[in-house]
Amino acid sequence: MKEFILVVDDDKDICRLLGIYLGNEGYRYLTCENAAQALDILEHYQVDLILMDVMMPGIDGISACLQIREKSKMPIIFMSAKSEDIDIIQGLTVGGDDYVTKPFQPIELLARIKAQLRRYKQYNETEKPAHTLQTEDLTVDMESRQVWVSGREVRLTRKEYDILEYMLRNKGQVLTMAQIYEAVWHEEFFCSENAVMMHIANLRNKLNWDNVHSDFIKTCWGRGYQI
């Protein structure tokens, strides 16, 4: 699964240019024009790296970085026309991982992005939390009971989440309706097919929010369901 990158810059031409280069490299990305929008996106998406302009209306990049660092540790690369040593030092001091001055070469920026993602991935592979389940574009945090598909958070009901976690814990196995019902409802299965089928259908629809993930939960006809 390619990493998810957030581009924050009030210059639409820069956002458009970076989008072309990121897309050509296969990265998933979102662009926004101010830090307030970026902070809102981070509440709903699982972002792997941020490209952050420094001078923006409202919340500037430095202030946004300080807020982000209270919760997250993904790489942040500043992009700015401010090129004095004191500006670069400030950006790195508040939590930035790299600092690129404008105008920049997109190819050089891509190289910096890859380097930061490589370091971040290596660190997180050794520090991977035991409470995380993942398959393809689907990530589940069992501690917070949060679910993300392609970087975007998907809100599930309690039963939907319990079904998903149970199936992920038994990934590769075909689970019967009775097994799912008894594991999630904690009672004996008796003519409860409709309850399981309804929750599976709702779960599928939510996980397929982008219309490209309809096959997370597979139906094994006459046997049950499988992830």
PDB file of all heavy atoms in Angstrom, residues 53-77:
ATOM      1  N   ASP A  53       3.485  24.268   3.962  1.00  0.00           N
ATOM      2  CA  ASP A  53       3.939  25.637   3.727  1.00  0.00           C
ATOM      3  C   ASP A  53       4.066  26.350   5.072  1.00  0.00           C
ATOM      4  O   ASP A  53       3.350  26.018   6.027  1.00  0.00           O
ATOM      5  CB  ASP A  53       2.935  26.360   2.830  1.00  0.00           C
ATOM      6  CG  ASP A  53       3.418  27.731   2.402  1.00  0.00           C
ATOM      7  OD1 ASP A  53       4.643  27.975   2.425  1.00  0.00           O
ATOM      8  OD2 ASP A  53       2.564  28.565   2.049  1.00  0.00           O
ATOM      9  N   VAL A  54       4.966  27.300   5.155  1.00  0.00           N
ATOM     10  CA  VAL A  54       5.154  28.023   6.418  1.00  0.00           C
ATOM     11  C   VAL A  54       4.234  29.233   6.502  1.00  0.00           C
ATOM     12  O   VAL A  54       3.523  29.433   7.496  1.00  0.00           O
ATOM     13  CB  VAL A  54       6.624  28.461   6.594  1.00  0.00           C
ATOM     14  CG1 VAL A  54       6.769  29.369   7.816  1.00  0.00           C
ATOM     15  CG2 VAL A  54       7.516  27.237   6.746  1.00  0.00           C
ATOM     16  N   MET A  55       4.220  30.051   5.457  1.00  0.00           N
ATOM     17  CA  MET A  55       3.433  31.292   5.484  1.00  0.00           C
ATOM     18  C   MET A  55       2.073  31.069   4.837  1.00  0.00           C
ATOM     19  O   MET A  55       1.956  30.946   3.622  1.00  0.00           O
ATOM     20  CB  MET A  55       4.200  32.402   4.762  1.00  0.00           C
ATOM     21  CG  MET A  55       5.494  32.787   5.446  1.00  0.00           C
ATOM     22  SD  MET A  55       6.369  34.139   4.617  1.00  0.00           S
ATOM     23  CE  MET A  55       6.868  33.331   3.098  1.00  0.00           C
ATOM     24  N   MET A  56       1.043  30.981   5.684  1.00  0.00           N
ATOM     25  CA  MET A  56      -0.323  30.802   5.214  1.00  0.00           C
ATOM     26  C   MET A  56      -1.250  31.700   6.015  1.00  0.00           C
ATOM     27  O   MET A  56      -0.942  32.050   7.164  1.00  0.00           O
ATOM     28  CB  MET A  56      -0.761  29.334   5.394  1.00  0.00           C
ATOM     29  CG  MET A  56      -0.055  28.354   4.506  1.00  0.00           C
ATOM     30  SD  MET A  56      -0.633  26.642   4.776  1.00  0.00           S
ATOM     31  CE  MET A  56       0.058  26.304   6.403  1.00  0.00           C
ATOM     32  N   PRO A  57      -2.391  32.100   5.443  1.00  0.00           N
ATOM     33  CA  PRO A  57      -3.352  32.893   6.206  1.00  0.00           C
ATOM     34  C   PRO A  57      -3.926  32.099   7.368  1.00  0.00           C
ATOM     35  O   PRO A  57      -4.054  30.878   7.295  1.00  0.00           O
ATOM     36  CB  PRO A  57      -4.433  33.228   5.168  1.00  0.00           C
ATOM     37  CG  PRO A  57      -4.308  32.169   4.116  1.00  0.00           C
ATOM     38  CD  PRO A  57      -2.846  31.824   4.070  1.00  0.00           C
ATOM     39  N   GLY A  58      -4.251  32.781   8.455  1.00  0.00           N
ATOM     40  CA  GLY A  58      -4.786  32.095   9.626  1.00  0.00           C
ATOM     41  C   GLY A  58      -3.660  31.455  10.406  1.00  0.00           C
ATOM     42  O   GLY A  58      -2.690  32.101  10.797  1.00  0.00           O
ATOM     43  N   ILE A  59      -3.753  30.151  10.609  1.00  0.00           N
ATOM     44  CA  ILE A  59      -2.715  29.407  11.334  1.00  0.00           C
ATOM     45  C   ILE A  59      -1.520  29.195  10.415  1.00  0.00           C
ATOM     46  O   ILE A  59      -1.664  28.624   9.330  1.00  0.00           O
ATOM     47  CB  ILE A  59      -3.258  28.047  11.816  1.00  0.00           C
ATOM     48  CG1 ILE A  59      -4.531  28.217  12.630  1.00  0.00           C
ATOM     49  CG2 ILE A  59      -2.202  27.318  12.637  1.00  0.00           C
ATOM     50  CD1 ILE A  59      -5.233  26.911  12.965  1.00  0.00           C
ATOM     51  N   ASP A  60      -0.334  29.642  10.824  1.00  0.00           N
ATOM     52  CA  ASP A  60       0.834  29.424   9.967  1.00  0.00           C
ATOM     53  C   ASP A  60       1.371  28.007  10.159  1.00  0.00           C
ATOM     54  O   ASP A  60       0.952  27.264  11.046  1.00  0.00           O
ATOM     55  CB  ASP A  60       1.925  30.468  10.238  1.00  0.00           C
ATOM     56  CG  ASP A  60       2.455  30.431  11.665  1.00  0.00           C
ATOM     57  OD1 ASP A  60       2.659  29.329  12.199  1.00  0.00           O
ATOM     58  OD2 ASP A  60       2.666  31.512  12.255  1.00  0.00           O
ATOM     59  N   GLY A  61       2.314  27.626   9.293  1.00  0.00           N
ATOM     60  CA  GLY A  61       2.834  26.261   9.317  1.00  0.00           C
ATOM     61  C   GLY A  61       3.546  25.899  10.604  1.00  0.00           C
ATOM     62  O   GLY A  61       3.457  24.762  11.076  1.00  0.00           O
ATOM     63  N   ILE A  62       4.255  26.870  11.200  1.00  0.00           N
ATOM     64  CA  ILE A  62       4.981  26.615  12.442  1.00  0.00           C
ATOM     65  C   ILE A  62       4.005  26.283  13.564  1.00  0.00           C
ATOM     66  O   ILE A  62       4.172  25.301  14.295  1.00  0.00           O
ATOM     67  CB  ILE A  62       5.845  27.829  12.831  1.00  0.00           C
ATOM     68  CG1 ILE A  62       6.904  28.111  11.747  1.00  0.00           C
ATOM     69  CG2 ILE A  62       6.504  27.607  14.184  1.00  0.00           C
ATOM     70  CD1 ILE A  62       7.925  27.020  11.558  1.00  0.00           C
ATOM     71  N   SER A  63       2.954  27.086  13.686  1.00  0.00           N
ATOM     72  CA  SER A  63       1.950  26.850  14.731  1.00  0.00           C
ATOM     73  C   SER A  63       1.222  25.532  14.502  1.00  0.00           C
ATOM     74  O   SER A  63       0.934  24.790  15.447  1.00  0.00           O
ATOM     75  CB  SER A  63       0.945  28.010  14.770  1.00  0.00           C
ATOM     76  OG  SER A  63       1.590  29.235  15.043  1.00  0.00           O
ATOM     77  N   ALA A  64       0.925  25.233  13.225  1.00  0.00           N
ATOM     78  CA  ALA A  64       0.250  23.977  12.909  1.00  0.00           C
ATOM     79  C   ALA A  64       1.123  22.790  13.280  1.00  0.00           C
ATOM     80  O   ALA A  64       0.641  21.795  13.822  1.00  0.00           O
ATOM     81  CB  ALA A  64      -0.105  23.935  11.426  1.00  0.00           C
ATOM     82  N   CYS A  65       2.424  22.890  13.004  1.00  0.00           N
ATOM     83  CA  CYS A  65       3.350  21.806  13.333  1.00  0.00           C
ATOM     84  C   CYS A  65       3.358  21.539  14.837  1.00  0.00           C
ATOM     85  O   CYS A  65       3.351  20.388  15.265  1.00  0.00           O
ATOM     86  CB  CYS A  65       4.747  22.150  12.840  1.00  0.00           C
ATOM     87  SG  CYS A  65       5.987  20.874  13.159  1.00  0.00           S
ATOM     88  N   LEU A  66       3.360  22.595  15.624  1.00  0.00           N
ATOM     89  CA  LEU A  66       3.352  22.439  17.081  1.00  0.00           C
ATOM     90  C   LEU A  66       2.102  21.691  17.539  1.00  0.00           C
ATOM     91  O   LEU A  66       2.169  20.822  18.421  1.00  0.00           O
ATOM     92  CB  LEU A  66       3.429  23.803  17.757  1.00  0.00           C
ATOM     93  CG  LEU A  66       4.797  24.503  17.691  1.00  0.00           C
ATOM     94  CD1 LEU A  66       4.666  25.960  18.152  1.00  0.00           C
ATOM     95  CD2 LEU A  66       5.817  23.770  18.549  1.00  0.00           C
ATOM     96  N   GLN A  67       0.944  22.004  16.934  1.00  0.00           N
ATOM     97  CA  GLN A  67      -0.298  21.315  17.297  1.00  0.00           C
ATOM     98  C   GLN A  67      -0.264  19.846  16.860  1.00  0.00           C
ATOM     99  O   GLN A  67      -0.700  18.959  17.594  1.00  0.00           O
ATOM    100  CB  GLN A  67      -1.490  22.018  16.653  1.00  0.00           C
ATOM    101  CG  GLN A  67      -1.769  23.409  17.213  1.00  0.00           C
ATOM    102  CD  GLN A  67      -3.067  23.989  16.676  1.00  0.00           C
ATOM    103  OE1 GLN A  67      -4.111  23.330  16.660  1.00  0.00           O
ATOM    104  NE2 GLN A  67      -3.005  25.223  16.216  1.00  0.00           N
ATOM    105  N   ILE A  68       0.253  19.598  15.670  1.00  0.00           N
ATOM    106  CA  ILE A  68       0.316  18.232  15.164  1.00  0.00           C
ATOM    107  C   ILE A  68       1.217  17.372  16.035  1.00  0.00           C
ATOM    108  O   ILE A  68       0.910  16.211  16.336  1.00  0.00           O
ATOM    109  CB  ILE A  68       0.813  18.224  13.700  1.00  0.00           C
ATOM    110  CG1 ILE A  68      -0.241  18.877  12.794  1.00  0.00           C
ATOM    111  CG2 ILE A  68       1.119  16.801  13.226  1.00  0.00           C
ATOM    112  CD1 ILE A  68       0.263  19.185  11.403  1.00  0.00           C
ATOM    113  N   ARG A  69       2.334  17.936  16.458  1.00  0.00           N
ATOM    114  CA  ARG A  69       3.296  17.182  17.255  1.00  0.00           C
ATOM    115  C   ARG A  69       2.764  16.799  18.638  1.00  0.00           C
ATOM    116  O   ARG A  69       3.324  15.933  19.299  1.00  0.00           O
ATOM    117  CB  ARG A  69       4.600  17.970  17.396  1.00  0.00           C
ATOM    118  CG  ARG A  69       5.463  17.924  16.143  1.00  0.00           C
ATOM    119  CD  ARG A  69       6.017  16.522  15.948  1.00  0.00           C
ATOM    120  NE  ARG A  69       6.778  16.383  14.701  1.00  0.00           N
ATOM    121  CZ  ARG A  69       6.346  15.732  13.652  1.00  0.00           C
ATOM    122  NH1 ARG A  69       5.144  15.151  13.655  1.00  0.00           N
ATOM    123  NH2 ARG A  69       7.100  15.622  12.571  1.00  0.00           N
ATOM    124  N   GLU A  70       1.672  17.410  19.071  1.00  0.00           N
ATOM    125  CA  GLU A  70       1.063  17.014  20.340  1.00  0.00           C
ATOM    126  C   GLU A  70       0.430  15.630  20.232  1.00  0.00           C
ATOM    127  O   GLU A  70       0.241  14.946  21.241  1.00  0.00           O
ATOM    128  CB  GLU A  70      -0.002  18.036  20.758  1.00  0.00           C
ATOM    129  CG  GLU A  70       0.569  19.407  21.126  1.00  0.00           C
ATOM    130  CD  GLU A  70      -0.520  20.407  21.464  1.00  0.00           C
ATOM    131  OE1 GLU A  70      -1.716  20.020  21.419  1.00  0.00           O
ATOM    132  OE2 GLU A  70      -0.188  21.563  21.757  1.00  0.00           O
ATOM    133  N   LYS A  71       0.097  15.199  19.002  1.00  0.00           N
ATOM    134  CA  LYS A  71      -0.607  13.930  18.812  1.00  0.00           C
ATOM    135  C   LYS A  71       0.110  12.955  17.891  1.00  0.00           C
ATOM    136  O   LYS A  71      -0.042  11.742  18.040  1.00  0.00           O
ATOM    137  CB  LYS A  71      -2.012  14.188  18.236  1.00  0.00           C
ATOM    138  CG  LYS A  71      -2.923  15.017  19.115  1.00  0.00           C
ATOM    139  CD  LYS A  71      -4.275  15.205  18.442  1.00  0.00           C
ATOM    140  CE  LYS A  71      -5.235  16.005  19.298  1.00  0.00           C
ATOM    141  NZ  LYS A  71      -6.546  16.189  18.621  1.00  0.00           N
ATOM    142  N   SER A  72       0.865  13.478  16.925  1.00  0.00           N
ATOM    143  CA  SER A  72       1.385  12.619  15.857  1.00  0.00           C
ATOM    144  C   SER A  72       2.872  12.829  15.627  1.00  0.00           C
ATOM    145  O   SER A  72       3.418  13.881  15.940  1.00  0.00           O
ATOM    146  CB  SER A  72       0.627  12.896  14.548  1.00  0.00           C
ATOM    147  OG  SER A  72      -0.764  12.736  14.723  1.00  0.00           O
ATOM    148  N   LYS A  73       3.507  11.813  15.044  1.00  0.00           N
ATOM    149  CA  LYS A  73       4.944  11.874  14.808  1.00  0.00           C
ATOM    150  C   LYS A  73       5.317  11.594  13.351  1.00  0.00           C
ATOM    151  O   LYS A  73       6.480  11.332  13.048  1.00  0.00           O
ATOM    152  CB  LYS A  73       5.655  10.875  15.720  1.00  0.00           C
ATOM    153  CG  LYS A  73       5.218   9.429  15.524  1.00  0.00           C
ATOM    154  CD  LYS A  73       5.948   8.506  16.492  1.00  0.00           C
ATOM    155  CE  LYS A  73       5.518   7.057  16.297  1.00  0.00           C
ATOM    156  NZ  LYS A  73       6.223   6.140  17.218  1.00  0.00           N
ATOM    157  N   MET A  74       4.337  11.643  12.423  1.00  0.00           N
ATOM    158  CA  MET A  74       4.672  11.421  11.021  1.00  0.00           C
ATOM    159  C   MET A  74       5.608  12.520  10.524  1.00  0.00           C
ATOM    160  O   MET A  74       5.619  13.627  11.073  1.00  0.00           O
ATOM    161  CB  MET A  74       3.403  11.358  10.166  1.00  0.00           C
ATOM    162  CG  MET A  74       2.837  12.709   9.771  1.00  0.00           C
ATOM    163  SD  MET A  74       2.007  13.590  11.093  1.00  0.00           S
ATOM    164  CE  MET A  74       0.489  12.655  11.150  1.00  0.00           C
ATOM    165  N   PRO A  75       6.434  12.245   9.502  1.00  0.00           N
ATOM    166  CA  PRO A  75       7.364  13.265   9.010  1.00  0.00           C
ATOM    167  C   PRO A  75       6.632  14.514   8.495  1.00  0.00           C
ATOM    168  O   PRO A  75       5.589  14.402   7.844  1.00  0.00           O
ATOM    169  CB  PRO A  75       8.101  12.555   7.865  1.00  0.00           C
ATOM    170  CG  PRO A  75       7.913  11.106   8.120  1.00  0.00           C
ATOM    171  CD  PRO A  75       6.585  10.966   8.789  1.00  0.00           C
ATOM    172  N   ILE A  76       7.204  15.662   8.795  1.00  0.00           N
ATOM    173  CA  ILE A  76       6.700  16.945   8.290  1.00  0.00           C
ATOM    174  C   ILE A  76       7.847  17.636   7.562  1.00  0.00           C
ATOM    175  O   ILE A  76       8.905  17.876   8.153  1.00  0.00           O
ATOM    176  CB  ILE A  76       6.180  17.839   9.422  1.00  0.00           C
ATOM    177  CG1 ILE A  76       4.980  17.182  10.124  1.00  0.00           C
ATOM    178  CG2 ILE A  76       5.775  19.220   8.881  1.00  0.00           C
ATOM    179  CD1 ILE A  76       4.467  17.954  11.329  1.00  0.00           C
ATOM    180  N   ILE A  77       7.643  17.935   6.286  1.00  0.00           N
ATOM    181  CA  ILE A  77       8.627  18.673   5.498  1.00  0.00           C
ATOM    182  C   ILE A  77       8.078  20.070   5.243  1.00  0.00           C
ATOM    183  O   ILE A  77       7.018  20.226   4.626  1.00  0.00           O
ATOM    184  CB  ILE A  77       8.926  17.966   4.162  1.00  0.00           C
ATOM    185  CG1 ILE A  77       9.482  16.562   4.406  1.00  0.00           C
ATOM    186  CG2 ILE A  77       9.915  18.796   3.332  1.00  0.00           C
ATOM    187  CD1 ILE A  77       9.757  15.783   3.121  1.00  0.00           C
TER     188      ILE A  77
END
